[in-house]
Amino acid sequence: MAFLDRVLEPPTYGYERDGKFYRPTRLEIFREFGMRLNVFKDKRNWLNVFSWAASLVMAIPLTIFFVKYFSIPLFIAGFIYSMVILGTHGTIWYHRYATHRAYKFSHPIFRFITKHLVVKMIPEEAYVVSHHVHHAKSEQPGDPY
């Protein structure tokens, strides 16, 4: 457990004060968020910046879709893709395989297809490491979820 206690950098405000769980203020949360995106302060923050930038850049095609191409059938298709296909991929790839190695692929081509089935928005490293910590510290101070 010692490794999982220190694998994720704890927030500057800490998890506990006087032996009790500390709930940070909104200002402390936003300050921490800004510090974690500052690549000039710490070059390791590039992964955080990439994840947020990739997610925010997706607002461009979403806006174009709503302004120029919106139709109910396309909206339903996009909703099914985002909620069903991306959700299923997150479960079978990120959670079940990448984090827990819960199964094996019968051929490497199936692993490749499963891994690259959808557009990647979150690097595997960011999900897998934080998810291991989550399982070790579920509902406790230090749980990243």
Side-chain angles (χ1 to χ4, degrees), residues 73-120:
L74 282 178
F75 180 77
I76 291 170
F79 183 81
I80 290 171
Y81 177 78
S82 65
M83 300 307 285
V84 177
I85 295 173
L86 287 176
T88 302
H89 179 266
T91 300
I92 64 171
W93 179 256
Y94 282 120
H95 186 108
R96 302 285 293 145
Y97 183 75
T99 301
H100 300 295
R101 301 283 188 209
Y103 54 88
K104 293 182 181 182
F105 290 97
S106 60
H107 193 276
I109 192 69
F110 297 127
R111 180 181 181 273
F112 179 84
I113 290 170
T114 304
K115 180 178 183 177
H116 300 289
L117 192 60
V118 299
V119 175
K120 296 281 192 248

Side-chain angles (χ1 to χ4, degrees), residues 15-68:
Y15 298 122
E16 296 177 305
R17 295 218 176 135
D18 299 325
K20 294 182 182 178
F21 175 73
Y22 175 70
R23 183 176 179 204
T25 65
R26 286 186 180 157
L27 181 61
E28 288 174 318
I29 290 173
F30 284 119
R31 187 177 297 135
E32 188 74 23
F33 179 73
M35 286 176 28
R36 299 295 174 112
L37 294 180
N38 187 350
V39 293
F40 300 110
K41 181 180 180 223
D42 189 346
K43 65 183 177 183
R44 295 174 297 177
N45 288 340
W46 71 268
L47 192 59
N48 302 338
V49 171
F50 172 79
S51 295
W52 276 100
S55 296
L56 292 174
V57 163
M58 293 307 289
I60 296 168
L62 182 66
T63 303
I64 292 170
F65 167 74
F66 277 112
V67 170
K68 291 189 131 205

